[in-house]
Amino acid sequence: MPPKKDKKGGKKKKGVSKEAGEIVSPEDQIRLLVSRINSLEFQLTCKSDETADALAECEALRNALVDASKTHEAEKEVTAGICSTMTRQYKCMQDNLLEKIAERERIIQNLRDEFEVHKMTSAEQLAAKDRTIQQKVDEAARCRQEIGDLCKRFAGMLVDATKKISSHAVMQTHG
C-alpha cells in the first residue's frame, strides 16, 4: 500500500519552508516537485502493477469459474444420465417383477382350479365306489340269504331223502 499522507501541516505556502519560515529557491521547489512527481509516478506504477495483478487474478478466477461451471454442467449431465439410466432400469426391474408376480398368481389360480376339479372328480369317484361297494355288500347279503335258503331247502331235501331211504329200506326189509 502507498504511504499515508501527512495531514498535520495543512496547506503549504509557496516558497516558505516549514521549519524556519525561510523562502525556498525555485531550484529546490523544482527538485521537490520532481521528487513528488517521481514518487507519484512510482506510486502510480505500483498501483498499476497491483491493478494488473488484480486483473490477472480476476481473469484467472473468472477462467477457473468458467472451467468449474463447465465441469459442474458436465457432471450434472453425467449425473442426470446416470439417474435416468437407473430410473429406467428400476422401472424395467419393477415391470419384470410385476410380470413374474402376475404369472405366479395365474399359476396358483390354475393349480387351485385343478385342485377343485380333482377334488370334485375324486369325490364323484369316491361316491361311485361307495355305491359299488354298497351294491356288492347288498349282493353278498342277498347271496348269503340265498345260500341260507338253499341250505335250508337242501337240509329239507336231505331230511326227505333220508326219510324216503329209511322208509324204502324199511319196506324192503319187511317185504
Side-chain angles (χ1 to χ4, degrees):
M1 290 196 62
K4 293 185 180 181
K5 294 183 180 177
D6 190 13
K7 293 188 180 183
K8 290 182 190 175
K11 288 188 177 180
K12 293 184 183 179
K13 293 180 184 174
K14 284 189 179 180
V16 179
S17 85
K18 283 184 176 179
E19 296 176 1
E22 295 177 22
I23 297 178
V24 180
S25 69
E27 291 89 26
D28 286 342
Q29 282 182 350
I30 290 174
R31 272 185 279 171
L32 179 66
L33 289 174
V34 167
S35 171
R36 278 190 177 171
I37 289 172
N38 289 339
S39 172
L40 288 173
E41 284 177 348
F42 178 74
Q43 287 178 0
L44 181 62
T45 304
C46 288
K47 292 288 183 181
S48 294
D49 289 345
E50 287 177 11
T51 303
D53 290 345
L55 285 174
E57 186 178 342
C58 180
E59 188 62 29
L61 288 173
R62 199 172 279 133
N63 290 337
L65 178 63
V66 167
D67 290 344
S69 294
K70 287 178 183 176
T71 304
H72 173 71
E73 286 301 317
E75 291 295 325
K76 193 174 172 183
E77 288 177 17
V78 168
T79 302
I82 290 171
C83 285
S84 171
T85 301
M86 289 178 70
T87 301
R88 191 172 35 257
Q89 287 175 348
Y90 171 77
K91 294 230 181 239
C92 182
M93 287 171 35
Q94 185 179 24
D95 291 343
N96 190 9
L97 182 60
L98 289 174
E99 286 175 15
K100 285 181 180 179
I101 289 171
E103 178 63 25
R104 297 309 187 271
E105 286 177 350
R106 280 191 295 276
I107 290 171
I108 289 170
Q109 188 59 45
N110 288 341
L111 290 173
R112 283 184 179 156
D113 293 344
E114 282 182 38
F115 174 73
E116 287 299 319
V117 168
H118 287 301
K119 187 175 164 183
M120 290 173 56
T121 304
S122 64
E124 290 171 3
Q125 289 174 349
L126 185 62
K129 288 183 180 181
D130 284 345
R131 283 190 301 272
T132 302
I133 290 172
Q134 188 59 45
Q135 288 172 353
K136 299 277 183 186
V137 167
D138 291 345
E139 188 179 335
R142 186 184 54 77
C143 285
R144 273 190 232 112
Q145 182 66 35
E146 279 182 28
I147 291 173
D149 291 345
L150 286 174
C151 284
K152 286 180 186 175
R153 280 178 53 205
F154 184 67
M157 287 172 56
L158 280 177
V159 169
D160 287 344
T162 309
K163 284 183 188 176
K164 283 184 184 179
I165 291 175
S166 295
S167 71
H168 190 51
V170 172
M171 279 205 248
Q172 278 186 2
T173 30
H174 290 319

